[in-house]
């Protein structure tokens, strides 16, 4: 498989604090890869570096062999590097259908006329319907986002990311804060994401990580501590000691 996303000795310092330390990470095309680690390990900092929210102190980032280290956020998104957030970034007064119409119209560079496009461009409505169905949102498609259950809001953020037609999708803790009764829809939606989208998942929920990923990278103190298949990581005593601990020990993954 070809490499779609790669970092080389990526480092970010905040004064005397080294948040990411010499991180070299490889993500293959079509991968289902998870990034895990204890709180403060540098996971979100790494995602912010990958997406251009913050610049690295040193190192390089390549997307499909192209150096994107100096590109701004919107340019990386335009090249297919798309993310979701730990805390939703949504339009509270819009409905899911309206928000998706905006996202699709912006991708097609007709965003200035999206209200007209929503009613008159059949292809936009067809695509909206497809993403609403894919992400289990058809039952709330005409309700304001602000009144949706939190699980549905998380699903809407995934739908908006997919509407950007990503080559690489970075999912930043998609079930964080979601009540137990609403998690199943998100787990099923993530499991059914398109095969042609490469996915890097950042997550603390080990059920999601081990059911989804075929490769896991572990960050500790800003550095890559271990990498391998989910079975390799589950059996690694060093990983259990520094992160998984009793949550994994004695479980079905041990």
């Amino acid at each position: 498989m070809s490499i779609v996303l790669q970092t080389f000795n990526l480092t970010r310092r905040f004064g005397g604090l080294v948040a990411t330390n010499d991180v070299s990470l490889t993500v293959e095309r079509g991968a289902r890869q998870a990034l895990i680690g204890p709180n403060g390990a540098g996971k979100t900092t790494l995602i912010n570096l990958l997406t251009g929210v913050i610049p690295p102190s040193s190192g390089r980032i390549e997307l499909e062999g192209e150096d994107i280290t100096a590109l701004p956020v919107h340019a990386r998104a335009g090249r297919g590097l798309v993310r979701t957030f730990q805390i939703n970034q949504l339009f509270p007064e819009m409905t899911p259908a309206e928000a998706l119409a905006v996202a699709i119209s912006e991708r097609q560079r007709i965003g200035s006329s999206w209200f007209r496009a929503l009613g008159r461009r059949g292809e936009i409505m067809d695509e909206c319907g497809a993403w609403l169905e894919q992400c289990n949102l058809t039952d709330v498609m005409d309700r304001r986002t602000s009144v949706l259950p939190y699980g549905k809001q998380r699903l809407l953020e995934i739908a908006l990311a997919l509407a950007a037609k990503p080559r690489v999708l970075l999912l930043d803790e998609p079930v964080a804060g979601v009540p137990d009764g609403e998690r199943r829809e998100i787990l099923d939606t993530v499991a059914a994401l398109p095969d042609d989208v490469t996915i890097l998942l950042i997550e603390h929920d080990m059920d999601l990580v081990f059911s989804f990923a075929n490769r896991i990278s572990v960050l500790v103190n800003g550095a890559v501590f271990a990498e391998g298949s989910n079975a390799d990581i589950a059996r690694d005593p060093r990983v259990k000691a520094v992160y998984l601990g009793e949550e994994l020990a004695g479980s079905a993954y041990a």
Side-chain angles (χ1 to χ4, degrees), residues 205-242:
D205 187 308
M206 290 297 102
D207 286 335
L208 176 54
V209 168
F210 282 93
S211 66
F212 174 80
N214 49 34
R215 183 172 179 81
I216 298 175
S217 302
V218 184
L219 281 188
V220 176
N221 295 325
V224 176
F225 181 76
E227 284 188 305
S229 69
N230 52 8
D232 291 337
I233 295 301
R235 288 193 298 262
D236 192 325
R238 302 172 307 141
V239 175
K240 290 183 182 181
V242 301

Side-chain angles (χ1 to χ4, degrees), residues 111-245:
S112 61
S113 61
W114 77 270
F115 278 109
R116 183 171 49 128
L118 179 60
R120 295 177 59 183
R121 289 183 179 264
E123 71 275 12
I124 289 179
M125 294 307 298
D126 289 343
E127 187 174 339
C128 278
W131 294 129
L132 289 165
E133 184 174 357
Q134 170 90 32
C135 295
N136 297 302
L137 291 164
T138 53
D139 57 331
V140 297
M141 61 182 289
D142 294 321
R143 295 175 61 188
R144 285 186 296 112
T145 296
S146 61
V147 302
L148 297 182
Y150 191 61
K152 291 292 189 181
Q153 292 184 21
R154 300 298 280 180
L155 287 168
L156 176 56
E157 189 161 29
I158 294 173
L160 290 169
L162 291 171
K165 293 293 182 74
R167 298 178 184 176
V168 180
L169 177 58
L170 310 176
L171 293 174
D172 196 351
E173 298 194 32
V175 297
V178 177
D180 288 343
E182 299 175 30
R183 287 190 173 208
R184 175 46 54 191
E185 277 192 321
I186 297 175
L187 297 178
D188 291 344
T189 298
V190 169
L193 288 172
D195 292 338
D196 59 348
V197 178
T198 300
I199 300 171
L200 180 61
L201 172 76
I202 302 89
E203 187 51 71
H204 285 288
D205 187 308
M206 290 297 102
D207 286 335
L208 176 54
V209 168
F210 282 93
S211 66
F212 174 80
N214 49 34
R215 183 172 179 81
I216 298 175
S217 302
V218 184
L219 281 188
V220 176
N221 295 325
V224 176
F225 181 76
E227 284 188 305
S229 69
N230 52 8
D232 291 337
I233 295 301
R235 288 193 298 262
D236 192 325
R238 302 172 307 141
V239 175
K240 290 183 182 181
V242 301
Y243 177 52
L244 298 175

Side-chain angles (χ1 to χ4, degrees), residues 53-86:
V53 174
I54 56 175
S57 302
S58 60
R60 188 170 84 254
I61 305 165
E62 290 186 359
L63 179 65
E64 295 188 320
E66 177 186 1
D67 189 340
I68 63 169
T69 311
L71 291 182
V73 173
H74 71 275
R76 299 184 197 206
R79 284 166 170 76
L81 184 59
V82 179
R83 72 175 293 182
T84 64
F85 293 84
Q86 286 185 27

